[in-house]
Amino acid sequence: MSPLKNLRQLSFLELFGFLALILGVVIEGYALITRPGTVVSGDDMFGGAVVLALAVAFLHDRSLGLRLSLIALSTLGVGYFVFIHTQAWLWTILLAIAVAVFLIFCFGLRRDVRQNHTNWPQF
């Protein structure tokens, strides 16, 4: 199947989700490359994390791995933002965990993991 045909089959919300994914990754990458460790870089990283959280919301029908990866990137972005502004590891870890838990429960990933548990390989 051609990439153009795949693009036509996407709904508007999925297309918006993929655009948010690309934009969020670009913003976070830009924040890491230009002026790393500064307050401006932290603010840019937070913006990228918010855009990636939007991507998770709009790509709710996609694979669990993609959504977990986006949540991880968004959580790391928020953690970077908190660490740059506070320089405290404790607050960084606590707020990053809180953001991850919020995103997981907000977007129903717990339910998806339980539904797909029977498809996991058994060792």
Side-chain angles (χ1 to χ4, degrees):
M1 196 180 282
S2 71
L4 191 56
K5 195 169 193 172
N6 286 340
L7 186 62
R8 287 187 196 148
Q9 291 178 346
L10 290 177
S11 69
F12 175 74
L13 293 178
E14 288 174 331
L15 181 65
F16 185 78
F18 281 117
L19 290 175
L21 165 69
I22 293 167
L23 183 63
V25 169
V26 167
I27 291 172
E28 284 196 349
Y30 176 79
L32 284 177
I33 292 171
T34 61
R35 299 181 300 256
T38 63
V39 174
V40 173
S41 174
D43 292 343
D44 290 344
M45 187 66 78
F46 182 76
V50 170
V51 173
L52 286 174
L54 284 173
V56 173
F58 286 106
L59 295 174
H60 60 85
D61 295 354
R62 293 296 169 167
S63 71
L64 182 64
L66 174 67
R67 291 182 292 163
L68 287 175
S69 301
L70 291 176
I71 288 174
L73 283 174
S74 184
T75 301
L76 288 173
V78 170
Y80 181 84
F81 169 77
V82 171
F83 184 74
I84 291 298
H85 283 278
T86 64
Q87 297 293 316
W89 281 105
L90 177 65
W91 288 112
T92 301
I93 292 169
L94 289 176
L95 288 174
I97 290 171
V99 166
V101 167
F102 173 76
L103 290 175
I104 287 171
F105 282 109
C106 187
F107 297 123
L109 292 179
R110 183 175 177 220
R111 176 181 33 89
D112 291 346
V113 168
R114 285 188 179 184
Q115 285 176 350
N116 296 330
H117 183 64
T118 57
N119 297 334
W120 291 1
Q122 302 297 320
F123 296 105

